[in-house]
Amino acid sequence: MKAAIVGASGAVGQELMRILAERNFPIDELVLFGSSRSAGSVYEFKGKKCEVRLLQHNDDFKDIDVAFVSAGGGTSKDFAETITKYGTVMIDNSSAFRMDDDVPLVVPEVNAEDALKRPRGIIANPNCTTIMMVVVLQPIEKLSHIKKIHISSYQSASGAGAVAMAELQQQYKELIETGEAKTISKFPHQLAYNVIPQIDLMTDNDYTKEEMKMFNETRKIMHSDVRTSATCVRVSSLRSHSESVWIETADPITVEQVREVLATAPGVTLKDDPQKYIYPMPLESAGKDDVYVGRIRKDLATDNGITLWLTGDQIRKGAALNAVQIAEYLIEKGDFK
């Protein structure tokens, strides 16, 4: 079996390499692709040197079974036909195809079987905040249909890439040395000692694109009519996103029921002992595969409401790990060319 990573030099591309090695993903050869800026770079994978090839419109994907694509929406759209032309399964990490009717949007713990129907040979990886949330909500959905969701997200600098992480660190350095943050490029405002209530661009309804992704993607993944309202906020942590989530169910459910189903849910670690101040935080979820959940309690404002807190590594489960898990499911089903 032969696999490729497109966007190998980026944060997600690098994480994909680590995860493929850690999970002993069954491939005989890994091929790396990148832009003219990263072509020629050399990385080590399982003791072998891999040189990044220039991504071009040619026949380089002819013998490749699966391509993990994480090079931005423009690249995904431009190269989708080239990548899938000979039957390669394209697992795309951008937002380019997520809401296309003929492209499945997959979180394996929720709707893995959707990956088996892909007319264009493309499977979309959802937005990181959506992935982490639906992993936690799917077991609750089995208790009672979730009608409404309200979310406030607390998203780390790494959600905007390695350059954004470096910018945050540089801002703190500048503030300590000069009292002023001069490096403001990746974010619309200073992030150090601050929070920014905007992630991605504003849409016409004054919700950001990130917030609208949570509305639309949740419905598609969960095959649900659930209505979602989100406020997505950039915070000055380096890695791992967190979310406060309020849900309203069709029938009343108890905190004990929720804890019980989440304790055994795939991809979830329950850490919830509020009287002892035990709850998950981004520092401990960074670098981990599971989504951590706690602060589970009845919503005081809604009769059929439950509220909870979750945190997860958005580069792993929110991106690279989810893509690899999709491929693992296809291997399990014998669904490659």
Side-chain angles (χ1 to χ4, degrees):
M1 189 174 179
K2 201 170 177 180
I5 296 174
V6 178
S9 298
V12 176
Q14 291 292 294
E15 198 70 28
L16 277 163
M17 274 189 274
R18 283 190 286 271
I19 290 171
L20 290 170
E22 287 170 10
R23 296 172 74 89
N24 199 25
F25 189 81
I27 50 176
D28 301 297
E29 185 181 353
L30 179 65
V31 186
L32 306 180
F33 293 94
S35 65
S36 57
R37 187 173 61 253
S38 59
S41 302
V42 177
Y43 299 101
E44 188 171 302
F45 179 74
K46 288 188 172 182
K48 296 180 181 179
K49 301 290 185 183
C50 300
E51 183 174 333
V52 178
R53 301 183 188 178
L54 178 64
L55 182 65
Q56 301 179 80
H57 290 291
N58 55 23
D59 293 334
D60 279 349
F61 289 87
K62 189 171 186 178
D63 298 319
I64 290 173
D65 297 283
V66 58
F68 303 99
V69 182
S70 188
T75 298
S76 293
K77 287 182 178 180
D78 189 16
F79 283 90
E81 189 174 335
T82 296
I83 292 169
T84 60
K85 180 167 54 175
Y86 294 104
T88 300
V89 176
M90 175 178 171
I91 301 177
D92 185 55
N93 197 56
S94 79
S95 61
F97 307 107
R98 287 175 185 161
M99 298 312 300
D100 290 9
D101 291 338
D102 53 359
V103 174
L105 185 67
V106 176
V107 177
E109 293 90 343
V110 181
N111 65 328
E113 64 282 354
D114 287 2
L116 302 176
K117 298 176 183 177
R118 46 179 194 279
R120 294 162 62 184
I122 303 169
I123 302 168
N125 221 25
N127 185 46
C128 54
T129 44
T130 306
I131 289 174
M132 294 188 295
M133 184 179 71
V134 298
V135 166
V136 172
L137 294 190
Q138 181 65 13
I140 301 172
E141 172 73 14
K142 293 177 181 177
L143 294 174
S144 176
H145 175 53
I146 298 171
K147 297 168 59 180
K148 295 179 183 177
I149 310 169
H150 291 85
I151 312 110
S152 285
S153 73
Y154 307 83
Q155 299 181 220
S156 65
S158 58
V163 174
M165 295 171 72
E167 179 173 309
L168 176 60
Q169 291 171 314
Q170 178 65 22
Q171 285 180 3
Y172 277 120
K173 183 174 184 289
E174 291 169 351
L175 285 163
I176 291 168
E177 292 177 350
T178 70
E180 181 183 0
K182 299 176 181 178
T183 304
I184 302 174
S185 175
K186 284 295 291 184
F187 303 113
H189 306 281
Q190 173 187 319
L191 183 58
Y193 299 126
N194 197 20
V195 296
I196 303 172
Q198 176 195 345
I199 294 176
D200 214 327
L201 302 175
M202 288 288 172
T203 64
D204 291 341
N205 64 1
D206 289 340
Y207 281 81
T208 67
K209 289 175 68 177
E210 183 87 354
E211 292 157 357
M212 292 309 301
K213 287 173 190 175
M214 297 196 77
F215 180 94
N216 293 312
E217 293 179 19
T218 300
R219 292 162 72 96
K220 184 173 180 179
I221 296 162
M222 296 183 73
H223 300 286
S224 173
D225 60 355
V226 64
R227 296 170 65 186
T228 298
S229 182
T231 300
C232 294
V233 181
R234 187 74 69 190
V235 298
S236 56
S237 58
L238 272 180
R239 182 157 173 165
S240 278
H241 293 350
S242 302
E243 302 172 33
S244 287
V245 183
W246 295 259
I247 64 170
E248 181 183 340
T249 53
D251 302 307
I253 56 177
T254 66
V255 169
E256 290 71 26
Q257 285 178 295
V258 174
R259 285 186 180 137
E260 185 177 347
V261 295
L262 291 180
T264 57
V268 174
T269 292
L270 180 65
K271 189 167 185 181
D272 190 31
D273 193 349
Q275 294 302 319
K276 294 181 180 177
Y277 307 108
I278 294 173
Y279 34 72
M281 293 176 285
L283 274 178
E284 66 182 320
S285 66
K288 305 289 178 53
D289 289 346
D290 277 5
V291 179
Y292 287 64
V293 62
R295 295 290 327 269
I296 302 168
R297 57 205 188 277
K298 289 293 290 184
D299 186 346
L300 299 179
T302 306
D303 290 341
N304 288 1
I306 293 285
T307 183
L308 55 83
W309 168 265
L310 64 87
T311 181
D313 189 319
Q314 88 292 343
I315 300 177
R316 289 185 73 88
K317 182 53 185 171
L321 175 63
N322 197 74
V324 172
Q325 288 174 315
I326 292 170
E328 289 173 339
Y329 175 79
L330 297 181
I331 291 171
E332 179 189 327
K333 295 297 180 182
D335 194 40
F336 277 114
K337 65 183 181 181

